[in-house]
Amino acid sequence: MKNIVRLTLLTLAFLQLGACSGVMDSKREARQTYLLTPDTSITGAPAAASAPGLAVAISVVPGLDTDRILALGPDARLSPYANARWPDHLPEVITSVLKRSLSASGDFSSVEASSRASDGGWSLTLELQQFYGIQNGAGETSSVRVEFAGTLECNGNSIPLRLSDSNSVSEDRLSAVVAAHQRGLNDVTRQLLEQVRSACS
């Protein structure tokens, strides 16, 4: 009788071990990291020595301070796309991309990530309010929204800014969703540069 009990206990132990090992060995899809790049369409000649410097400070609304690529559902729920990430948290990513885009424009002697402008320089403060895919009830992404609000300080003036764009997603694939994010960011970067040139010239 004792042998039967021992055999039963050993069998149960092996079965539990096998179940645990199945969980530990479960194959998960590898994390995919997507890169956003500067807008090359606004590249201009090198800045003149007299061009102003620009200090850029970027923040994001609650919920967007993450490295996850996000979607907004019809029930106002933010959800991450599975295993899809930006290389860093969104404020750092957007600051880096905008800084390089504006530097390449040739409008500024320097562009720095800072909340304070240097003597005679200009400052740009932006809050990223939308940066996500828009999903329907079936979880399909139809478009990507990008929106900033902020203030530009130049020549002693304070100019309110609102920059927004919506890009349709060509197919319900992650690469297409990321491409729509890139187009949206490029579009608002061009809007930003146009408003800076108009307000500060």
Side-chain angles (χ1 to χ4, degrees):
M1 184 69 179
K2 286 182 181 178
N3 288 338
I4 294 173
V5 171
R6 279 184 193 153
L7 186 58
T8 303
L9 289 173
L10 280 171
T11 303
L12 286 172
F14 277 119
L15 285 172
Q16 286 180 341
L17 185 61
C20 289
S21 112
V23 171
M24 289 186 287
D25 293 341
S26 63
K27 293 181 180 178
R28 293 183 177 180
E29 190 178 340
R31 178 191 297 186
Q32 302 174 73
T33 302
Y34 290 88
L35 188 67
L36 293 170
T37 59
D39 184 359
T40 57
S41 72
I42 61 175
T43 302
S50 58
L54 181 68
V56 178
I58 307 288
S59 61
V60 298
V61 296
L64 297 187
D65 190 7
T66 176
D67 64 346
R68 305 296 298 270
I69 302 178
L70 299 173
L72 181 68
D75 58 355
R77 183 166 51 97
L78 277 175
S79 303
Y81 290 96
N83 304 309
R85 297 178 185 266
W86 304 120
D88 201 341
H89 281 217
L90 206 49
E92 288 73 27
V93 171
I94 298 299
T95 298
S96 173
V97 176
L98 272 184
K99 181 178 167 226
R100 287 178 285 155
S101 291
L102 295 172
S103 294
S105 71
D107 286 46
F108 312 101
S109 59
S110 64
V111 180
E112 300 298 332
S114 174
S115 58
R116 286 189 169 191
S118 59
D119 289 342
W122 301 347
S123 68
L124 175 66
T125 304
L126 291 174
E127 180 183 62
L128 184 57
Q129 298 180 341
Q130 296 187 80
F131 201 74
Y132 38 66
I134 302 300
Q135 287 187 333
N136 60 22
E140 299 165 333
T141 303
S142 59
S143 63
V144 166
R145 286 187 195 156
V146 179
E147 182 176 320
F148 289 89
T151 306
L152 171 66
E153 305 277 348
C154 68
N155 301 330
N157 298 316
S158 181
I159 299 102
L161 299 174
R162 184 159 291 278
L163 314 162
S164 64
D165 189 78
S166 179
N167 263 277
S168 60
V169 174
S170 58
E171 54 185 319
D172 195 27
R173 294 179 57 194
L174 195 50
S175 58
V177 171
V178 171
H181 278 84
Q182 180 70 67
R183 288 195 305 274
L185 184 55
N186 288 352
D187 289 344
V188 296
T189 301
R190 288 190 287 271
Q191 292 176 34
L192 170 61
L193 200 52
E194 287 170 7
Q195 292 190 36
V196 170
R197 289 169 175 168
S198 174
C200 303
S201 58

